[in-house]
Amino acid sequence: MIIAKDIGALRQAVRDLRAAGTLALVPTMGALHEGHLTLIREARRHADAVAASIFVNPRQFGPNEDLDAYPRQLAEDQRMLEGEGVALLWAPPVDQVYPAGFATSIAVSGVSEGFCGASRPGHFDGVATVVCKLFNQIQPDVALFGEKDWQQLAVIRRMARDLDLTLPHADAIIGVPTVREADGLAMSSRNRYLTPEQRQAAVTLPRAMRAAIAAIAEGADFAAALAELRQTLVEGGFASVDYADIADADSLQPASTPGENALRLLVAARIGGTRLIDNMPVG
Ligand code: PAF
């Protein structure tokens, strides 16, 4: 595996890999787990070679968020990626991505405004900016992202369409279903912040979401099912619920009744100091 830490080394490695065949990109912030490895394995089915990036992107963290505490374990991540046959790891220091004087930001309106966009102002500008840079730097034929960050996926697809990105083009941005622990909790690098008691309580999140979806399938109205979901989370040990809503799966426009378009239940809730997100299809 080639490990590039500066833009010159990256460009050379990308040139060589692209001359030899197609290239898939899996962008990450490291602290890899089975969910990331699933993305890598899926990426190998779509291209001749896989590039991964590890970059804890400061621009997508708010001033009171966990940028400094975010887990960093480059040596271990490197071993895991090597084990999965990744051809190129791009692991730049911050000044390679944001050199002095960096002044550009990409804002995707609409899809980035509700949900995590409302409770984390600026977050999706940071995501869109860094992902656009990664696409330009690596020019992958396809790029893979976890569906766990459903809104992020919608923002990136919108950006790719709006900016006429050709590598990867919007349809070549592939969402991979959420990988879950045996008890149903969605895998996340932030799960390691949970104490054993919080970890046990966290399973209330997917369970309550499934119960809400089942109630809706049996005819419950959305508002009642969502109120029940919120109450179950708080009774189950969550400190607060940032949002628990149903929206059009593509536009993320709120939905209050079933319709023709696919719908998604999206939830963010805090347990102790940790904010967990999850989403599931409705219907
Ligand atoms: O999902 C993530 O890990 C990050 O938001 C991403 C896409 C790597 C951008 O920093």
Side-chain angles (χ1 to χ4, degrees):
M1 182 170 77
I2 303 161
I3 300 168
K5 294 194 171 180
D6 64 75
I7 194 80
L10 178 72
R11 288 206 190 284
Q12 185 57 55
V14 164
R15 253 194 308 273
D16 294 346
L17 286 171
R18 291 194 51 75
T22 53
L23 188 57
L25 171 65
V26 178
T28 82
M29 297 204 301
L32 302 180
H33 51 65
E34 196 56 32
H36 297 108
L37 302 187
T38 302
L39 293 177
I40 303 279
R41 289 172 202 142
E42 183 63 21
R44 295 185 63 181
R45 300 189 332 105
H46 289 273
D48 298 318
V50 177
S53 61
I54 294 182
F55 179 64
V56 182
N57 173 32
R59 289 188 167 238
Q60 68 188 76
F61 288 79
N64 300 316
E65 293 185 351
D66 57 346
L67 173 62
D68 293 337
Y70 198 84
R72 289 161 170 89
Q73 48 170 57
L74 187 58
E76 199 180 327
D77 288 347
Q78 230 167 274
R79 270 195 300 278
M80 291 165 89
L81 294 175
E82 237 148 9
E84 295 296 331
V86 167
L88 167 64
L89 168 60
W90 171 224
V94 174
D95 63 3
Q96 284 291 307
V97 179
Y98 301 120
F102 188 89
T104 301
S105 180
I106 295 179
V108 181
S109 60
V111 281
S112 72
E113 281 164 16
F115 302 100
C116 288
S119 42
R120 303 183 68 189
H123 169 68
F124 287 118
D125 296 1
V127 170
T129 303
V130 82
V131 169
C132 189
K133 282 188 65 111
L134 290 167
F135 286 175
N136 285 332
Q137 290 164 342
I138 296 176
Q139 307 215 320
D141 298 276
V142 296
L144 293 91
F145 297 85
E147 286 185 356
K148 172 164 173 293
D149 296 294
W150 187 266
Q151 189 176 14
Q152 168 172 283
L153 193 53
V155 168
I156 292 167
R157 285 194 170 122
R158 184 75 260 165
M159 170 185 76
R161 278 190 196 103
D162 291 354
L163 298 184
D164 300 318
L165 297 188
T166 53
L167 284 176
H169 60 79
D171 295 340
I173 291 167
I174 297 165
V176 177
T178 303
V179 179
R180 295 179 182 277
E181 304 285 357
D183 64 3
L185 182 67
M187 287 193 185
S188 163
S189 303
R190 289 189 168 101
N191 289 354
R192 66 187 73 191
Y193 297 156
L194 302 172
T195 64
E197 294 73 26
Q198 290 167 349
R199 171 63 188 81
Q200 229 178 337
V203 73
T204 306
L205 177 57
R207 286 190 185 151
M209 290 174 70
R210 289 212 168 90
I213 290 166
I216 287 168
E218 281 164 20
D221 75 47
F222 287 9
L226 293 171
E228 175 78 24
L229 164 56
R230 284 198 187 87
Q231 192 181 334
T232 307
L233 290 177
V234 171
E235 286 172 0
F238 280 79
S240 60
V241 180
D242 278 7
Y243 58 77
D245 286 308
I246 294 173
D248 181 286
D250 293 322
S251 69
L252 296 187
Q253 285 303 304
S256 51
T257 52
E260 284 184 0
N261 294 350
L263 297 176
R264 206 86 189 168
L265 168 62
L266 299 109
V267 182
R270 291 174 197 270
I271 186 159
T274 307
R275 184 174 180 277
L276 299 180
I277 60 170
D278 202 347
N279 69 85
M280 293 179 188
V282 179

